[in-house]
């Protein structure tokens, strides 16, 4: 047992030991050598995250608490929104973002079964899954290469009298054409949900106004899974400027409760035993009144404690991602006769999640042969997620039904499915790692 005078002294001594532990056992040591493993993504942290996590562990407050409150406040201020709410993953963030649009409080704008939501099949499934799970109809349109985002020339063709929303992601940090999509949504009174999980820190300018992606639409979502721009281990966030949507997020995230009392606080709402709700008895305990079909998707304070320190480092992370992406792009420019290099969207300053490469069919090289060669040299690759989501087994039982709709062809989506891969540019990469990765990619393309 330690001879501690008080809890504050005990905490400081414990955290001092954690700092030493980090430097002895977790701190990255040694220079990169060609052939060392290069992951497509990885967490970047130091003793500050470990000490913050230790603080939360010593609190032993096992649900949402003071660190969660701090992160939500700091994150909202940084990204520029009024309301930010932590959840347990980016997938949950997308689920909440769509769920709240089905709430009856939204009147004529409520999304009901059979209503349509414009999206793309080239991306991660959890952008689309909530649409299907609520009985709405995803309307798939094609994307463009080399931006790898929605083809905005197809939006009007995709519109019907059932369209209620557009829900799409910014691909690997490169934003979709927000100016065109927002104009379309405003014109037709549609909800715009920005899946910002792969683009946190990306900036976009419309009419001279520059804002972060995720804040141009009605709702933005982020993921804090370890490979993402910053991490809590697991974790996500839903954010908005709309006070009604803010109130709905709290309900759907907390079991669908009508009450917004924070965890551990009773009668915060001031009407715990005096309300009339549904067909319940007068004065039924407001903490157990459910106005929506919700979930418990809250984050733990331990996760949030890591996020509080990660957010402080985040601007440096973004700048390093941009540096790595630009260095890799410059190294690969002389093999553009065989591959298509990515291009940033007009009026954007991307916070890159990865570096997309498409193999030109006329090069007579196969994507899988190239990625196999790269992987054998210890460089990790990834495909652009689902490629074409409607080709996957999860669509087997609904393929060809009216559960979804396809507008035009998905030629570019299929091209990406067959010819595209990506490598990482995460902030833990050194110039030496980027240069070796470029060398291996060029060898794979030219051999």
């Amino acid at each position: 047992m330690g001879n501690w005078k008080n809890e504050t002294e005990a905490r400081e001594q414990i955290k001092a030991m954690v700092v030493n532990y980090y430097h002895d056992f977790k701190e990255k040591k040694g220079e990169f050598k060609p052939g060392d493993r290069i992951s497509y993504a990885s967490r970047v942290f130091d003793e500050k995250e470990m000490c913050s996590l230790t603080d939360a562990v010593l609190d032993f407050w096992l649900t949402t608490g003071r660190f969660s409150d701090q992160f939500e406040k700091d994150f909202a201020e940084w990204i520029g929104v009024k309301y930010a709410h932590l959840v347990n993953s980016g997938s949950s963030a997308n689920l909440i973002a769509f769920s709240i649009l089905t709430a009856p409080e939204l009147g004529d704008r409520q999304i009901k079964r059979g209503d349509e939501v414009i999206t793309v099949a080239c991306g991660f499934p959890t952008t689309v899954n909530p649409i299907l799970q609520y009985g709405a109809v995803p309307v798939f349109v094609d994307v463009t290469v080399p931006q790898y985002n929605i083809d905005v020339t197809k939006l009007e063709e995709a519109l019907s009298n059932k369209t209620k929303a557009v829900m799409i992601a910014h691909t690997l940090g490169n934003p979709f054409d927000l100016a065109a999509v927002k104009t379309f949504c405003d014109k037709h009174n549609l909800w715009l949900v920005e899946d910002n999980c792969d683009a946190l820190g990306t900036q976009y300018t419309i009419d001279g106004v520059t804002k972060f992606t995720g804040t141009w639409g009605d709702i933005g979502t982020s993921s804090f899974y370890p490979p993402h721009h910053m991490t809590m281990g697991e974790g996500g966030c839903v954010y908005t400027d709309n006070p009604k949507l803010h109130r709905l997020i709290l309900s759907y995230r907390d079991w669908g409760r009508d009450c917004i009392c924070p965890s551990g606080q009773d009668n915060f709402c001031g009407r715990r035993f005096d309300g009339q709700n549904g067909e319940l008895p007068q004065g039924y305990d407001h903490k157990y009144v459910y106005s929506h079909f919700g979930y418990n998707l809250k984050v733990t304070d331990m996760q949030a404690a890591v996020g509080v320190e990660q957010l402080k480092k985040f601007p440096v992370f973004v700048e390093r991602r941009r540096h790595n992406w630009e260095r890799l792009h410059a190294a690969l420019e002389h093999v553009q006769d065989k591959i298509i290099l990515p291009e940033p969207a007009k009026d954007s300053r991307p916070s890159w999640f990865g570096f997309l490469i498409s193999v030109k069919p006329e090069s007579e090289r196969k994507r899988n042969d190239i990625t196999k060669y790269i992987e054998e040299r210890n460089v990790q690759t990834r495909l652009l997620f689902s490629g074409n989501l409607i080709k996957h087994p999860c669509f087997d039982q609904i393929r060809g039904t009216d559960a979804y709709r396809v507008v035009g062809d998905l030629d570019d989506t299929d091209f990406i499915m067959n010819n595209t891969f990506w490598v990482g540019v995460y902030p833990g990469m050194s110039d030496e790692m980027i240069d070796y990765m470029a060398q291996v990619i060029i060898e794979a393309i030219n051999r």
Side-chain angles (χ1 to χ4, degrees):
M1 293 178 62
N3 295 316
W4 295 316
K5 297 177 183 177
N6 51 50
E7 183 180 359
T8 299
E9 181 181 292
R11 281 180 180 256
E12 292 308 311
Q13 288 189 19
I14 291 168
K15 288 192 288 184
M17 293 174 66
V18 169
V19 170
N20 292 333
Y21 177 86
Y22 167 79
H23 289 304
D24 287 344
F25 300 109
K26 294 297 182 182
E27 189 172 22
K28 186 177 179 182
K29 295 179 174 66
E31 298 296 320
F32 169 78
K33 300 183 296 298
D36 288 349
R37 181 67 166 165
I38 300 178
S39 301
Y40 81 96
S42 183
R43 58 195 182 168
V44 177
F45 69 99
D46 60 24
E47 73 279 5
K48 294 181 179 65
E49 283 87 345
M50 294 185 71
C51 285
S52 187
L53 175 59
T54 301
D55 248 343
V57 170
L58 293 174
D59 284 351
F60 211 65
W61 185 259
L62 301 180
T63 183
T64 297
R66 67 181 178 103
F67 287 101
S68 302
D69 293 343
Q70 185 66 53
F71 182 88
E72 289 175 345
K73 176 180 178 293
D74 293 347
F75 183 85
E77 288 178 357
W78 171 78
I79 203 168
V81 295
K82 293 178 182 176
Y83 313 107
H85 299 293
L86 281 171
V87 291
N88 57 8
S89 73
S91 299
S92 294
N94 282 341
L95 178 60
I96 290 291
F98 190 80
S99 297
I100 65 174
L101 299 182
T102 69
E105 290 94 325
L106 300 180
D108 292 341
R109 300 190 71 189
Q110 176 191 10
I111 297 178
K112 300 177 181 178
R113 296 185 68 86
D115 284 339
E116 296 184 345
V117 180
I118 297 171
T119 188
V120 299
C122 182
F124 205 74
T126 54
T127 313
V128 175
N129 292 352
I131 304 170
L132 289 164
Q133 288 163 357
Y134 272 86
V137 177
V139 178
F140 295 111
V141 300
D142 208 3
V143 297
T144 63
V145 177
Q147 287 78 29
Y148 302 93
N149 279 306
I150 188 168
D151 183 351
V152 295
T153 67
K154 306 292 186 184
L155 287 171
E156 291 290 345
E157 185 181 352
L159 185 71
S160 80
N161 59 7
K162 295 181 179 180
T163 308
K164 288 287 185 68
V166 175
M167 184 169 178
I168 41 179
H170 302 291
T171 302
L172 294 195
N174 204 19
F176 56 79
D177 187 341
L178 268 163
V181 173
K182 183 167 172 52
T183 297
F184 172 78
C185 289
D186 290 347
K187 175 183 175 182
H188 298 290
N189 197 30
L190 307 177
W191 298 110
L192 173 56
V193 181
E194 292 179 71
D195 181 336
N196 200 36
C197 291
D198 291 344
L200 189 61
T202 290
Q203 294 171 304
Y204 194 93
T205 302
I206 299 178
D207 295 332
V209 177
T210 300
K211 301 197 318 184
F212 287 114
T213 53
T215 68
W216 284 103
D218 297 287
I219 313 167
T221 63
S222 286
S223 171
F224 304 128
Y225 190 64
H228 282 272
H229 287 71
M230 56 166 285
T231 187
M232 294 181 181
E234 302 286 352
C237 198
V238 193
Y239 34 101
T240 184
D241 278 327
N242 186 312
K244 182 175 284 188
L245 297 183
H246 148 69
R247 175 66 180 79
L248 290 168
I249 291 168
L250 288 173
S251 176
Y252 278 84
R253 185 193 66 170
D254 294 12
W255 301 280
R257 290 193 307 168
D258 196 67
C259 177
I260 60 169
C261 290
S263 181
Q265 296 187 37
D266 290 344
N267 210 28
F268 177 82
C269 61
R271 57 188 184 94
R272 184 175 175 189
F273 297 113
D274 61 5
Q276 176 63 61
N277 298 281
E279 297 183 359
L280 292 167
Q282 171 71 27
Y284 196 83
D285 189 344
H286 196 220
K287 288 182 72 71
Y288 295 100
V289 173
Y290 303 97
S291 52
H292 307 101
F293 296 107
Y295 318 88
N296 177 11
L297 299 178
K298 295 190 297 295
V299 75
T300 69
D301 232 29
M302 285 84 78
Q303 293 164 266
V306 175
V308 165
E309 292 300 325
Q310 285 271 292
L311 189 58
K312 296 174 184 176
K313 297 180 170 72
F314 190 66
V316 175
F317 288 174
V318 172
E319 289 307 315
R320 186 68 201 187
R321 286 179 177 276
R322 288 173 179 150
H323 169 87
N324 290 343
W325 189 93
E326 289 164 5
R327 188 178 184 92
L328 184 56
H329 193 283
L332 297 178
E333 284 176 353
H334 70 279
V335 287
Q336 290 186 82
D337 58 324
K338 300 181 181 70
I339 60 172
I340 301 171
L341 295 180
E343 294 180 7
K346 182 176 177 289
D347 297 322
S348 75
R349 191 161 182 250
S351 172
W352 297 103
F353 184 49
F355 191 98
L356 278 156
I357 298 170
S358 291
V359 182
K360 291 183 176 180
E362 59 268 29
S363 72
E364 297 184 351
R365 284 157 174 78
K366 300 295 184 184
R367 189 263 315 278
N368 286 5
D369 292 338
I370 290 173
T371 54
K372 182 180 178 183
Y373 182 93
I374 294 170
E375 292 271 359
E376 286 172 349
R377 277 135 191 89
N378 238 359
V379 176
Q380 204 170 31
T381 65
R382 287 292 185 267
L383 303 185
L384 188 47
F385 308 129
S386 67
N388 184 343
L389 183 59
I390 64 177
K391 302 281 188 182
H392 285 254
C394 57
F395 271 71
D396 284 351
Q397 291 189 324
I398 62 172
R399 193 173 291 112
T401 71
D402 59 4
Y404 65 96
R405 191 160 66 84
V406 177
V407 175
D409 57 53
L410 300 180
D411 288 348
D412 279 344
T413 299
D414 287 338
F415 170 83
I416 292 165
M417 177 179 63
N418 289 301
N419 297 283
T420 302
F421 69 99
W422 61 277
V423 293
V425 292
Y426 76 94
M429 285 184 171
S430 64
D431 286 353
E432 292 75 17
M433 295 166 75
I434 294 291
D435 294 345
Y436 174 73
M437 188 162 59
Q439 174 192 326
V440 169
I441 293 168
I442 292 168
E443 289 174 1
I445 293 165
N446 284 334
R447 72 191 184 97

